[in-house]
Structure formats: structure tokens, C-alpha cells
């Protein structure tokens, strides 16, 4: 337990929020260049935090002109202030899923899908209840379907390692492939190939995802002088949905024809039109679930790999002992693996798959950091950058380090500061909040991944890098279970 951990006291001084937005239009352009090119994402926040000596300040968030009508935000970078973004009585979450702009509904069949709805909108309750129902109804299929997908993933990994000239395997591409197959099989009871999606179905999803998130990413391996071309192409005007219409239609048709029983329930139980239910299902499977694992699985492999062989030994001992005692990989077995659980939470803490949270203030309010209070006016956009809030040195000791056993035993008390799911790890998603409906499912899938991995391998070596939306992991060696 950290010695600093304390609730902000009532008597914190009220201060004006430091920082600012610069000149209209040009201030946002300057901040955009700082964010993508001059400083880079993390340094952008760190520099301003140090400059203003505050974890709460004003700045502009990309993409800025002409994609976002208003780039001005109040930034929250600590564990004390961040949770105001989960309080549905204080913030509105309408159309802020991607931040200061909203991609065209052309990407989602003309509907605003659940992620863009505020709980105050009648549709939100129906669709989120439907999503929670889908996940609950698939509960008993999780483990067998996932184990099957993972066993394909590991076979492909070994094949690539042994056949590539460099004797290494790109984990991300194999993982993406396995992740999408898993979700499609879970929701549709068949493989993507059986639904006319071809063997590389996840590339359809990638092509559909990219233009929606393009305003928020940079292909930062470009030489500096090309950055203005990138700004013009993806940071100045939204990419139109017609670029990916045919890819999206293929996905939609595959779900529509294969997920019949789930879509029947949408109308019968929740009063949602079949067409709208299907667009939400594609978004759930493609954006929320596959998009999340696209970042999370490589992060798991990266952090566990870099931690080295002593952690691998402890994990495989725990996994193999418990699986033997329990007679297999079961929900009960997963609950007993305290180190495995802790490792998954620690990866979610140190590299949360969704780094941004946004909301509009519903009323004038006071937001408290550890050492001051700040007035936020009704209508202002509040933005939380999660990796700073979950690495808050006032809550976590050695906050920047990956500590595998951080959440074992007494450490479990710190779980309320693990905020990756648009809510606290200790909270539950409901139809009335904006916490990720698949929160427990994601934790669970990650645990099964670690378990299946260490049932099969003793240790491995990894080289880490960065990609558009997270870490890349290249497997250098794998040692099969003796």
C-alpha cells in the first residue's frame, strides 16, 4: 500500500485552472504539432504538467481544425481528479467516444452506436442491456472457444518462428488474426471463412477502423518534412466513410447472416430493430472487442516477456499447479491464480488499452486533484489521459515500473485505482453508466491467455516496439514445456 494514498481533503485551495488555448485556430494547430511531432503524446502532457506545476490544466486536444468544432479541453492527469469522468450526474458522454470529434455515422450504417450514446438517452439503456445480455448468454462458451483460438495462435507462432529467415515472429499480426476469429466464432458460432469473410477477415476490420481513428494517430516514423502531408491527409479533414463501405458491408452481412439467434433477441427482449442491433454487434465485436485486444494482447506479451525468466517461472508454477488441482482451465481455477490475476491488472494499469476519456460538464462543478480544487464551467470538455492517472506516483509506489505482484494480497486494495474500463476496476458496468460492458470479459480473456500460454511454454524472449495504437511485440524465442 502506498504511504501517500489519501482522499483529497475538503480544505484544498481553490485555484484557477492553469494553461490556455492560445490564439483561436492557431493555438489548436500549434498544440496539434506539439502532440504529434514536436513533443509526442506522453511528453505533450508531461511538459505541460511540469510547466504549470499542476495535474489539471487547459490545452487543445487533436485533431483540432477542421475536424473538431472545439478542441478546448480541461486535462486531468491524476488519480484524484480523473474519476469525475465516471460520474454520470456530472458529465455527459454524448458523441465523445473519440474525443473532440465524432466520425460520420456512415461508418456504422447511419446509427449512433452505443459507445456514442449518453446514459440519459433512451436508446442507451436498451442497447447496453442488450450487449450485457449477449455477453452473459455466451458465458459458457468463453473458455472452449478462446482455448481453441489460442491454440491456433500458438501453432502459427511456432511455425513462423521456425520458418522465418530471421528466426522471429511478429506477435501482433498473428494475435489480431486469432482475436477476430475468437469474437466472430463466439458471437456467430462459426469461423469467419464460413461466412464468406476470407482467411484474413481481421484486415477488413482494420481497414474499417483506421479512418475512424486516423485523426488521433500519427505514422510517426515519417521524416519530419512529410509531417505536413500527414496533417493534411488525416488530421485536417475527416476521412469519408465511402472509402470503406464495401469492406464494412461484408462484415455487416456476415454478422447479419450468422448471428441470427442474437439478433432475434434484440427485437424480442429489448425492442431494438434488427438492423440497428446488427450495426451495434459489429461495433461491439470489431471496434470495442477486437480493437481492444489488438492493443491488449501485445501489451501482455510485451510486459510479461520483458519481466524475464524469474516471473515466467512463478507464473508457470502457479498456472500448472492450479490447473492440475482443479482438473482444467475453469472459472474456479482462474479465480485461484493470484499472481496471474495481478499481472493482468498491472498490464491494464501500466498500458491501458483505451488511453483517453472525455465528457462535457453537465453543470458548474469543482474538480479536485491531490493538492488543489478547480472550477469547471458547465459545457466545458473534460479530458482524462489515463496512463498518467493510472501511474499516479501519489497512489502507486514505483508507478512507472511493471510490478507483477502489485495486486496480490494487500495490494488488491489498490484495484480501485485501475481505471482502464471507463470506470474503476472495483465497479460494475450497468445499463446506466458508461463503463465498458465487456470489462470483466476482457480481464477474463487476458487471464485465459496467460494461463494457456504458460501451460504450453516455459519461457520466451520478446522485443518491444510501438505501433499506431499501442505496443508491438516480436517473439525472439519460445521454450516449449519440457
Amino acid at each position: 500500500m502506498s504511504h501517500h494514498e489519501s482522499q483529497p481533503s475538503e480544505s484544498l485551495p481553490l485555484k484557477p485552472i492553469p494553461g490556455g488555448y492560445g490564439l483561436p485556430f492557431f493555438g489548436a494547430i500549434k498544440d496539434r504539432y506539439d502532440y504529434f511531432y514536436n513533443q509526442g503524446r506522453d511528453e505533450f502532457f508531461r511538459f505541460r504538467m511540469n510547466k504549470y506545476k499542476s495535474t489539471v490544466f487547459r490545452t487543445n486536444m487533436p485533431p483540432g481544425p477542421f475536424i473538431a468544432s472545439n478542441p478546448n479541453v480541461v486535462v486531468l492527469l491524476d488519480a484524484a481528479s480523473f474519476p469525475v469522468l465516471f460520474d454520470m450526474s456530472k458529465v455527459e458522454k454524448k458523441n465523445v467516444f473519440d474525443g473532440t470529434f465524432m466520425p460520420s455515422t456512415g461508418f456504422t450504417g447511419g446509427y449512433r452506436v452505443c459507445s456514442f450514446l449518453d446514459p440519459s438517452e433512451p436508446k442507451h439503456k436498451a442497447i447496453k442491456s442488450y450487449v450485457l445480455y449477449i455477453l452473459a448468454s455466451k458465458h459458457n462458451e468463453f473458455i472452449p472457444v478462446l482455448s481453441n483460438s489460442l491454440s491456433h495462435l500458438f501453432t502459427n507462432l511456432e511455425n513462423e518462428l521456425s520458418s522465418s529467415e530471421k528466426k522471429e515472429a511478429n506477435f501482433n499480426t498473428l494475435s489480431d488474426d486469432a482475436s477476430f476469429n475468437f469474437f466472430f466464432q463466439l458471437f456467430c458460432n462459426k469461423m469467419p471463412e464460413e461466412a464468406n469473410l476470407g482467411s484474413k477477415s481481421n484486415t477488413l476490420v482494420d481497414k474499417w477502423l483506421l479512418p475512424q481513428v486516423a485523426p488521433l494517430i500519427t505514422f510517426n516514423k515519417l521524416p519530419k518534412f512529410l509531417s505536413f502531408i500527414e496533417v493534411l491527409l488525416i488530421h485536417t479533414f475527416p476521412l469519408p466513410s465511402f472509402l470503406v463501405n464495401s469492406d464494412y458491408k461484408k462484415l455487416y452481412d456476415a454478422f447479419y447472416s450468422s448471428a441470427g439467434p442474437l439478433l432475434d433477441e434484440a427485437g424480442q427482449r429489448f425492442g431494438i430493430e434488427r438492423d440497428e442491433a446488427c450495426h451495434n454487434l459489429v461495433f461491439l465485436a470489431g471496434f470495442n472487442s477486437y480493437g481492444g485486444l489488438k492493443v491488449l494482447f501485445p501489451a501482455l506479451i510485451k510486459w510479461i516477456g520483458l519481466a524475464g525468466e524469474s516471473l515466467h517461472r512463478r507464473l508457470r508454477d502457479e498456472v500448472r499447479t492450479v490447473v492440475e488441482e482443479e482438473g482444467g482451465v475453469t472459472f474456479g481455477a482462474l479465480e485461484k491464480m493470484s499472481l496471474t490475476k495481478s499481472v493482468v491488472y498491472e498490464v491494464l494499469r501500466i498500458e491501458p488499452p483505451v488511453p483517453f476519456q472525455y465528457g462535457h460538464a453537465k453543470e458548474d462543478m469543482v474538480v479536485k486533484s491531490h493538492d488543489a480544487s478547480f472550477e469547471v464551467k458547465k459545457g466545458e470538455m473534460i479530458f482524462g489521459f489515463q496512463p498518467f492517472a493510472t501511474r499516479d506516483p501519489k497512489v502507486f509506489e514505483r508507478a512507472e515500473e511493471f510490478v507483477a505482484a502489485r495486486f496480490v494480497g494487500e495490494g488488491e486494495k489498490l484495484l480501485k485505482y485501475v481505471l482502464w474500463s471507463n470506470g474503476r476496476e472495483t465497479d460494475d458496468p450497468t445499463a446506466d453508466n458508461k463503463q465498458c460492458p465487456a470489462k470483466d470479459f476482457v480481464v477474463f480473456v487476458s487471464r485465459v491467455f496467460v494461463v494457456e500460454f504458460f501451460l504450453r511454454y516455459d519461457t520466451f524472449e520478446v522485443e518491444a516496439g510501438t505501433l499506431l495504437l499501442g505496443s508491438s511485440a516480436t517473439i525472439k524465442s519460445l521454450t516449449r514445456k519440457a
Side-chain angles (χ1 to χ4, degrees):
M1 253 340 245
S2 167
H3 49 289
H4 313 290
E5 194 200 324
S6 61
Q7 289 308 311
S9 73
E10 291 306 312
S11 58
L12 291 172
L14 191 64
K15 295 183 175 175
I17 302 175
Y21 306 118
L23 291 169
F25 187 77
F26 296 104
I29 300 243
K30 178 189 180 302
D31 285 344
R32 176 164 76 195
Y33 262 88
D34 280 350
Y35 181 92
F36 286 122
Y37 310 109
N38 300 339
Q39 294 171 323
R41 185 187 76 175
D42 290 20
E43 189 48 39
F44 177 86
F45 298 113
R46 195 174 290 113
F47 174 81
R48 285 157 181 74
M49 182 168 80
N50 294 335
K51 177 178 170 184
Y52 304 127
K53 307 213 174 348
S54 173
T55 50
V56 178
F57 54 82
R58 296 179 184 280
T59 189
N60 298 292
M61 272 303 283
F66 294 90
I67 296 177
S69 56
N70 182 358
N72 303 353
V73 300
V74 173
V75 180
L76 313 178
L77 295 181
D78 63 81
S81 61
F82 194 98
V84 74
L85 286 160
F86 311 147
D87 186 339
M88 292 302 106
S89 67
K90 292 187 174 164
V91 297
E92 184 190 68
K93 296 275 196 171
K94 189 175 177 178
N95 297 343
V96 299
F97 180 68
D98 282 310
T100 55
F101 76 103
M102 180 181 168
S104 155
T105 54
F107 289 105
T108 47
Y111 294 99
R112 289 168 60 231
V113 291
C114 191
S115 295
F116 292 97
L117 301 174
D118 183 74
S120 64
E121 300 178 75
K123 272 274 166 69
H124 181 272
K125 189 166 193 126
I127 298 174
K128 181 127 180 221
S129 301
Y130 173 52
V131 169
L132 289 165
Y133 162 80
I134 290 174
L135 292 166
S137 71
K138 293 291 179 183
H139 187 79
N140 293 332
E141 295 167 50
F142 286 168
I143 294 180
V145 177
L146 183 56
S147 296
N148 180 33
S149 299
L150 290 174
S151 121
H152 284 293
L153 166 61
F154 298 146
T155 305
N156 293 338
L157 204 54
E158 289 172 30
N159 291 343
E160 190 170 319
L161 258 179
S162 58
S163 65
S164 86
E165 285 180 12
K166 286 184 169 167
K167 292 283 174 261
E168 60 181 36
N170 178 332
F171 177 78
N172 294 62
T173 47
L174 299 170
S175 164
D176 285 356
D177 190 35
S179 301
F180 185 71
N181 287 350
F182 164 61
F183 288 116
F184 194 83
Q185 220 183 331
L186 186 68
F187 296 139
C188 300
N189 299 319
K190 57 169 81 160
M191 289 297 278
E193 295 91 291
E194 300 168 66
N196 303 323
L197 282 179
S199 61
K200 285 274 164 258
S201 49
N202 62 293
T203 55
L204 288 177
V205 190
D206 291 341
K207 275 156 71 179
W208 166 70
L209 282 173
L210 191 64
Q212 298 179 68
V213 297
L216 303 174
I217 59 179
T218 172
F219 296 85
N220 51 12
K221 308 281 183 280
L222 296 172
K224 272 278 197 285
F225 70 92
L226 285 179
S227 62
F228 74 94
I229 299 176
E230 178 180 88
V231 167
L232 213 55
L233 288 178
I234 63 173
H235 297 153
T236 309
F237 303 101
L239 291 170
S241 58
F242 70 73
L243 296 172
V244 295
N245 275 356
S246 62
D247 297 317
Y248 182 67
K249 186 166 176 4
K250 270 187 204 153
L251 285 171
Y252 175 86
D253 290 345
F255 277 91
Y256 197 86
S257 62
S258 311
L262 286 182
L263 298 175
D264 295 340
E265 295 290 339
Q268 289 160 11
R269 277 179 195 246
F270 302 95
I272 304 165
E273 293 288 326
R274 198 180 186 90
D275 181 46
E276 182 165 11
C278 191
H279 286 294
N280 271 282
L281 185 59
V282 177
F283 199 85
L284 170 71
F287 202 119
N288 303 122
S289 307
Y290 166 75
L293 284 196
K294 200 177 171 59
V295 180
L296 184 53
F297 273 1
L300 278 165
I301 273 289
K302 167 183 129 177
W303 290 104
I304 294 172
L306 296 176
E309 195 166 351
S310 67
L311 174 63
H312 304 170
R313 190 173 53 248
R314 285 154 59 207
L315 280 170
R316 68 179 191 243
D317 289 350
E318 174 178 87
V319 164
R320 292 169 192 179
T321 307
V322 174
V323 168
E324 193 170 315
E325 283 167 9
E326 296 288 312
V329 181
T330 60
F331 288 101
L334 292 163
E335 259 323 296
K336 289 190 172 169
M337 301 178 189
S338 53
L339 181 62
T340 303
K341 280 160 55 172
S342 175
V343 161
V344 168
Y345 288 135
E346 179 68 345
V347 172
L348 288 165
R349 178 195 78 84
I350 203 164
E351 192 173 330
V354 180
F356 311 121
Q357 292 300 341
Y358 285 89
H360 281 111
K362 280 187 176 175
E363 56 193 46
D364 291 356
M365 60 167 136
V366 173
V367 172
K368 296 178 175 175
S369 70
H370 292 292
D371 34 36
S373 318
F374 304 94
E375 275 182 289
V376 174
K377 293 277 178 253
K378 180 179 175 175
E380 289 197 280
M381 174 74 102
I382 305 172
F383 160 71
F385 183 56
Q386 211 143 276
F388 278 39
T390 52
R391 298 182 191 183
D392 185 335
K394 293 202 164 148
V395 171
F396 294 106
E397 284 166 14
R398 293 157 56 200
E400 296 293 327
E401 286 175 49
F402 177 79
V403 179
R406 190 184 292 278
F407 300 105
V408 173
E410 274 293 287
E412 281 191 27
K413 291 183 184 160
L414 290 169
L415 282 176
K416 61 175 181 281
Y417 298 104
V418 178
L419 313 171
W420 68 274
S421 61
N422 196 8
R424 296 181 183 276
E425 187 51 46
T426 46
D427 296 341
D428 291 313
T430 68
D432 301 311
N433 66 21
K434 284 303 283 180
Q435 187 162 24
C436 167
K439 168 209 157 205
D440 296 333
F441 172 63
V442 168
V443 170
F444 171 77
V445 164
S446 305
R447 287 178 190 169
V448 174
F449 173 79
V450 176
V451 168
E452 295 284 356
F453 189 89
F454 283 105
L455 284 174
R456 188 165 178 142
Y457 305 108
D458 283 344
T459 185
F460 67 107
E461 283 174 52
V462 71
E463 189 178 276
T466 51
L467 285 174
L468 295 177
L469 293 168
S471 293
S472 70
T474 305
I475 304 282
K476 294 297 206 179
S477 72
L478 268 178
T479 308
R480 277 298 296 250
K481 181 180 170 184

